Amino acid sequence: QDVSQAEQAEAWLLRLPRLPPADLPDQREIEATVAALSQPANPNWILARVASLLLPYYEKDTPQAVREMEAEDWLESLADMPQWAIDRAVRWWKGPDNPDRRKRPLEGDIAGIAGRIFGNVKAVTKITDRQRRNAIPKAEPEPVKPITDEERAHRARVAAEILGKFAGNP
């Protein structure tokens, strides 16, 4: 999925929780958009993106076999993530808002950031569903009928009878 399309879809989804329930789009449309944004990135793209992230930290003495193992670890950590979330996480890591940007990131760093970004999108379905349920008017409880003096006296006799049996009075 094109990153700009994904960003537009994400922005649309993240606006929905602020809407009144009556203005929400059909839940199936929301779920379809979340599903489209949830498609895992292509493994080759992930490896290329990670290579571009790690290039400034390149160590020329690292054996090729070790690099391949590292690549497998990165791929395993990011395999379930969508491209747009990985890309956003990498851009954040390299950007001015990250105080650790000069440090080499580990797989868990990028996977954690991408997971939080992606988690916001996944939560929208549940949030909007809850908004709809809470907007459904609750049934009014039946009004309580006042007890008549006759009913009150009857209840008192029944209660005295029951208490008498427990006290040993037949």
Side-chain angles (χ1 to χ4, degrees):
Q1 184 172 37
D2 182 293
V3 173
S4 65
Q5 286 178 327
E7 287 176 347
Q8 289 173 356
E10 178 199 17
W12 176 76
L13 282 170
L14 295 180
R15 278 194 304 270
L16 298 181
R18 294 190 297 264
L19 295 177
D23 293 345
L24 289 172
D26 184 77
Q27 193 71 13
R28 289 179 302 240
E29 184 179 355
I30 295 169
E31 290 168 2
T33 303
V34 170
L37 288 174
S38 299
Q39 294 301 310
N42 176 294
N44 290 330
W45 181 89
I46 292 173
L47 293 173
R49 191 62 177 112
V50 169
S52 73
L53 169 65
L54 298 179
L55 189 61
Y57 311 101
Y58 181 74
E59 297 168 6
K60 63 182 174 184
D61 297 334
T62 304
Q64 183 61 28
V66 172
R67 288 197 191 287
E68 290 172 12
M69 287 181 208
E70 278 186 311
E72 288 172 12
D73 291 343
W74 276 92
L75 188 56
E76 186 174 322
S77 292
L78 298 173
D80 295 333
M81 293 289 164
Q83 179 176 328
W84 63 271
I86 296 169
D87 195 54
R88 174 103 41 86
V90 168
R91 283 188 276 144
W92 181 85
W93 186 271
K94 294 169 89 174
D97 294 335
N98 177 12
D100 292 330
R101 69 184 169 273
R102 294 195 191 320
K103 295 178 185 173
R104 179 185 171 140
L106 300 175
E107 301 87 353
D109 295 324
I110 301 303
I113 296 164
R116 283 190 295 281
I117 292 167
F118 183 39
N120 292 334
V121 165
K122 291 192 301 187
V124 171
T125 303
K126 291 178 184 172
I127 292 168
T128 55
D129 188 48
R130 189 176 322 121
Q131 282 177 280
R132 287 181 214 285
R133 282 195 315 270
N134 290 339
I136 297 171
K138 306 285 188 268
E140 291 293 322
E142 301 240 351
V144 178
K145 297 178 187 174
I147 300 174
T148 64
D149 289 340
E150 186 178 297
E151 179 65 22
R152 187 172 287 113
H154 173 71
R155 289 182 183 183
R157 282 191 306 276
V158 170
E161 216 175 281
I162 294 171
L163 289 174
K165 288 181 184 178
F166 282 111
N169 302 332

